[in-house]
Every structure is written in structure tokens, then in C-alpha cells.
Amino acid sequence: MIVERSKNPFILEAFTKTKRKVQLTQNDWKDYKWQLNNSIKTIAAFEKLTGITFLEREKEEIEKTISKFPLSITPYYASLIDKKNYREDPIFKQAFPNPAELEISKCDMRDPLHEDKDSPTKGITHRYPDRVLFLISNRCAMYCRHCTRKRKVGDPDSVPSREQILAGIYYIRKNRSIRDVLLSGGDPFMLPDEYLDWILTELNRIKHVEVIRIGSRIPVVLPYRITKNLVRILKKHHPLWLNTQFNHPREITPASQEALKRLADAGIPLGNQSVLLAGVNDCPQIMKKLNQKLLQNRVRPYYLFQCDLSEGLSHFRTPIGKGVEIMESLVGHTSGFAVPRYVVDAPGGGGKIPIMPNYIVSWSTNKIILRNYEGVITTYQEPDNYKPISCGRNCAKCDLQSNMEPKESAIGVEKLLVGSDGTISLIPEGNLRLKLREKWK
Ligand SMILES: *Cc1c(COP(=O)(O)O)cnc(C)c1O
Ligand code: SF4
């Protein structure tokens, strides 16, 4: 008998029926290895366990989709599907293949974020000056249909070898500017405990690595993986941060709450990175509820991602305006720390770009006109006699920059603002006007 309080015990009944001799126990259900061994990987298994059935014609299409992007759903996550209204169900949509995934639209790209191009060694993406993304696993407990790294997950050719991991660690060790390492994949928690312990130990040994963070969807799709032993290991490697990916309030269940509690009790600051998905969470009220529930579970909403331009995701994409509308309904309307930052990850590898509704109405020499969330328009009188900090902005010689190359101290628009090296404009590569100048010389 199962006591896991799911609204849909159908899946459990199905298991007890199919495995007549081996009675499924509560302990089995809560054993993450059992969950993985019994993951749903075929349409037949899905039908059998959920009681949902598809037409022959539908099955053919779904099969085609699976042969391109594999199917894998944990029985736990499948048990959250609303069986009666599954076609509109946010859990079903994130987990079950949709033939629309095979439609490659004109703007779709295999690697829109250029994670492979910005990669000095396999598995590492070094995009920002002081931090790297380190892909240490290509497996996931569930293959999310909206995954931006679909090209990699589940592909046996991209399983990182021990050598590849060592090469990544070596790269981080050799680059003193890296102070933050983001472990992702696939899902890092799909690695065995000892293997993860080894990677974390090696990274922790590197003096210039100040923080390690893990990106994992396991608390959402396989919360039972957050075992006492895993938490005991993670605790040894502080300061360790964890970002997970809840996309809908229905994903917050007693089981996922228990996993979050264990992690938070171990002193791991928890963040959430939602993806804005058409038909799943493209609604201000859903997002507000989700973010409030996350806070209740000590998870701080961190990012709300605009859906990337990866191949086969066009049916999940919303206009950017939908994200702005969601932000409008959050800022001021609910606790500030329930408000994530809405970002577009720039196609071509430009990194995350924040997007906000406009709050500045107008501006004069020293007065600014702002509007608040209620629509109240207000004025802020700026000082007439502002005197900035008296360091002369000699940033290259500043103590705070001591372990940085001067060239790294300011880039982009920040550099224009600092103005210490005389740069007054940034000019795109291949600018036609400048090319002409060259010709005239
Ligand atoms: C998102 C990301 C990071 C981390 O960015 P933060 O804004 O610091 O969370 C680092 N590297 C890559 C390649 C990323 O995509
Ligand atoms: S857990 Fe993350 S990497 Fe894995 S399939 Fe889901 S979104 Fe992709």
C-alpha cells in the first residue's frame, strides 16, 4: 500500500496490478533507484501505468518524436498528471512528447546559446569573466520536453568521461579569474554519490573557486533522490548553492517539499529558475502562486527564462510581452523576493539579458518621474550637489581589483561609463562607415 498523498493514485494501482507477485510498497515508491528502474520510456508503458490511451495515428507521430528526443518520465512525476484533462495538463506537457517537437522553425538553432562555441574544453562553457558552466552529466531523471540542451541529454555519445571531467577541473584550476563554478548537465544529481563527492572535493580544493552551484531539476522530478546521504555529502562542500527548476505550482508536493527542506536545513541556499512555457505557466496568476509557494519552501525565485530558440521548442515559446506582463503583475504586488529576474538568454552566446516593464516615465536635469505598480506617478528630486566617492575612478590600481587584469576591470557599457581609458564609443565588428574610412586612407 502506498501512502504518498498524490491526487492520482492510478499509477500506483497500475504498478500493484502489473507486479502482482511483488507487492509495491511505500518504500519502493520512495526509493529513487526504484523510480529510475521503473521510469516510463515507451508509449505502451505510459498507457499501462496512467490508463491514458492514444490513437494508432497519434502513436506513430509520438514514436517519431521519441526517436529524435528520448522519452523518460519518473513514475513519481507521471503520478502528478491530471489524467482526466491530460491534454491541457502542465505536468503532461512538460513530460510527454509532442509531435510539434519535430517542427523545426526558421529561427530554431541546434545550439542557440553557442555553449559549444564558447567552450575551451569539452563540457566547459566560459562566457562570463569570472564564472563557468561545467556540464558533468548528460543524464536526467526525466527528459523535459522544453529542454534547451535537448541536443545533448540522453545522447550516449555525450556522456562525460572521467578524463573529460578532469580536463574541465584542470581548466578551472589554471584560470584564476574563475571564482564561481556552475555544475549542470544533464542533471548532476544523476551521478553516483561518490562521483559527485569527488568532483566537489576537487573543485573545493581550488583556492580561487569561491562558490560552487549546482543546477538540478531532481527536486521537481525525482525528489526521493535527495537522500540523507546525498545531503550529507553536499554539506561538506560549502559554500554550495543550488538552483532548481519548478515551473508550475502543482509541482510543489509533499515529496518535493521534503526534499527542499532537507537541502535548506543543510544550509544550502536554494534558488529557482523557471522557464516561461506556453500552455504551462504563461499566466501571471500561476507565476505568482508558484513564486509564493517557493518562498514558503525557502526557495528564492532567481530567473524566469524566456524560452530559448533551440530546435523543436517553437510550440512552447511565448512572445516576450507575456514575460513583461508577468513581471508587471509581480513587482510591487507581492514580496520583492518572490520576484525572479526575467531574462532572455541571447542567441549567439551573449548571455542573459534582463527585461523589465518601464518604470521611468520621464527625466530632466535633476528630476526623475517614475510610476509605481499601482499606476501612481511620482517625482524624485535628485541632489544638486552630488559628490561621488573620491577615488578618482582609478580602478586599475584599486585594491578591490588586485587579482584581476586591468583589462577585465570594465567592459562594455560599463567601460563607457567609467571612461578611464578614453574609450568613448563601442563599434560593432565590420562597421561599414569605418571600413570606408580604411579605404580612404
Ligand atoms: C547562466 C550562465 C552562467 C551563470 O550566470 P548567472 O547570471 O551568474 O547566474 C554562467 N555561464 C553560462 C554559460 C551561463 O549560461
Ligand atoms: S532536467 Fe534540465 S537538462 Fe535535463 S531534460 Fe530537464 S531541462 Fe533538460
Side-chain angles (χ1 to χ4, degrees):
M1 238 274 296
I2 298 295
V3 211
E4 172 66 27
R5 231 171 285 129
S6 156
K7 278 198 205 108
N8 301 309
F10 61 92
I11 221 170
L12 315 172
E13 280 163 26
F15 266 113
T16 22
K17 260 186 240 157
T18 49
K19 307 203 166 171
R20 212 164 287 139
K21 275 189 198 142
V22 205
Q23 188 79 3
L24 176 70
T25 68
Q26 187 191 356
N27 286 345
D28 289 336
W29 182 259
K30 292 192 171 182
D31 173 358
Y32 77 89
K33 289 184 177 153
W34 180 92
Q35 286 277 339
L36 289 171
N37 288 335
N38 289 281
S39 274
I40 299 167
K41 293 187 186 321
T42 62
I43 307 175
F46 184 85
E47 287 186 325
K48 193 156 158 193
L49 293 174
T50 61
I52 294 171
T53 52
F54 301 95
L55 305 172
E56 278 312 310
R57 159 173 64 76
E58 285 178 314
K59 279 193 222 172
E60 267 171 43
E61 295 277 280
I62 300 167
E63 282 297 355
K64 263 192 241 157
T65 317
I66 295 177
S67 65
K68 181 142 188 231
F69 302 118
L71 159 71
S72 187
I73 314 174
T74 55
Y76 161 78
Y77 197 74
S79 77
L80 307 180
I81 294 173
D82 174 5
K83 195 177 134 190
K84 286 197 199 87
N85 189 22
Y86 70 93
R87 283 184 200 272
E88 291 309 318
D89 183 69
I91 309 289
F92 177 80
K93 284 185 182 177
Q94 291 182 70
F96 197 77
N98 182 334
E101 293 168 41
L102 297 175
E103 292 163 19
I104 311 288
S105 80
K106 262 202 305 230
C107 57
D108 286 9
M109 291 174 262
R110 219 182 113 70
D111 176 20
L113 309 180
H114 283 192
E115 289 185 329
D116 296 342
K117 283 203 180 111
D118 281 344
S119 174
T121 175
K122 215 168 169 213
I124 296 252
T125 301
H126 194 172
R127 165 161 308 151
Y128 297 104
D130 67 342
R131 53 208 190 279
V132 291
L133 171 69
F134 190 6
L135 306 182
I136 56 171
S137 154
N138 85 323
R139 289 181 64 216
C140 296
M142 178 181 96
Y143 293 127
C144 309
R145 303 326 293 179
H146 56 272
C147 180
T148 191
R149 290 194 200 113
K150 270 184 160 177
R151 67 185 189 282
K152 286 212 170 128
V153 297
D155 171 5
D157 295 336
S158 58
V159 177
S161 63
R162 214 176 166 94
E163 287 68 42
Q164 185 181 321
I165 303 273
L166 277 169
I169 293 171
Y170 180 78
Y171 178 82
I172 294 165
R173 195 179 292 132
K174 288 287 152 210
N175 284 275
R176 286 188 46 217
S177 59
I178 300 170
R179 38 163 292 289
D180 174 3
V181 177
L182 199 171
L183 300 175
S184 183
D187 203 307
F189 288 159
M190 287 299 279
L191 298 175
D193 289 359
E194 314 73 55
Y195 197 66
L196 192 60
D197 194 14
W198 167 68
I199 296 173
L200 290 170
T201 306
E202 287 301 313
L203 288 173
N204 245 340
R205 275 206 191 125
I206 305 174
K207 274 215 189 73
H208 54 266
V209 174
E210 296 170 3
V211 280
I212 302 173
R213 21 174 180 167
I214 294 179
S216 169
R217 215 183 173 207
I218 290 264
V220 186
V221 295
L222 183 56
Y224 309 121
R225 170 68 182 102
I226 310 299
T227 58
K228 293 210 169 100
N229 193 49
L230 178 66
V231 172
R232 184 186 60 77
I233 287 171
L234 297 177
K235 232 172 134 168
K236 294 192 300 183
H237 302 288
H238 275 310
L240 182 77
W241 293 59
L242 185 110
N243 276 327
T244 182
Q245 189 206 127
F246 284 90
N247 291 328
H248 194 281
R250 286 240 322 269
E251 292 172 332
I252 299 174
T253 64
S256 61
Q257 286 176 303
E258 170 63 23
L260 294 173
K261 180 178 185 304
R262 280 187 184 180
L263 293 163
D265 286 349
I268 302 171
L270 303 176
N272 189 63
Q273 313 194 141
S274 299
V275 188
L276 179 53
L277 298 168
V280 173
N281 59 8
D282 52 342
C283 158
Q285 295 316 315
I286 291 176
M287 289 311 294
K288 193 187 287 176
K289 175 64 82 195
L290 170 66
N291 290 317
Q292 290 170 340
K293 274 189 149 189
L294 286 168
L295 286 192
Q296 267 183 301
N297 290 285
R298 290 180 278 172
V299 183
R300 167 76 157 94
Y302 180 45
Y303 280 136
L304 169 62
F305 282 108
Q306 174 64 14
C307 187
D308 287 328
L309 297 175
S310 301
E311 283 180 356
L313 302 189
S314 53
H315 60 298
F316 276 127
R317 285 182 212 131
T318 65
I320 304 257
K322 185 47 77 176
V324 174
E325 183 193 342
I326 289 171
M327 294 306 289
E328 183 72 64
S329 73
L330 294 177
V331 175
H333 297 269
T334 189
S335 315
F337 63 154
V339 183
R341 195 172 334 157
Y342 174 43
V343 291
V344 175
D345 217 333
K352 300 173 186 74
I353 301 173
I355 297 188
M356 277 282 264
N358 291 329
Y359 292 99
I360 299 184
V361 176
S362 196
W363 217 338
S364 81
T365 341
N366 46 17
K367 193 177 267 184
I368 182 162
I369 313 297
L370 305 162
R371 63 100 179 168
N372 80 347
Y373 73 103
E374 302 164 302
V376 169
I377 294 184
T378 188
T379 54
Y380 178 87
Q381 180 68 49
E382 294 176 331
D384 291 326
N385 53 354
Y386 167 62
K387 286 202 186 62
I389 189 166
S390 60
C391 61
R393 295 207 100 163
N394 196 355
C395 304
K397 292 225 173 90
C398 180
D399 279 353
L400 290 172
Q401 306 282 355
S402 56
N403 63 352
M404 273 195 196
E405 302 278 322
K407 66 171 165 44
E408 282 179 286
S409 58
I411 58 166
V413 174
E414 182 195 7
K415 179 162 150 171
L416 296 182
L417 290 174
V418 173
S420 58
D421 71 348
T423 309
I424 57 161
S425 59
L426 300 175
I427 300 162
E429 205 179 307
N431 176 284
L432 206 63
R433 188 165 51 86
L434 293 198
K435 269 194 189 157
L436 276 176
R437 274 192 203 173
E438 285 298 308
K439 237 168 105 189
W440 296 337
K441 262 188 196 158

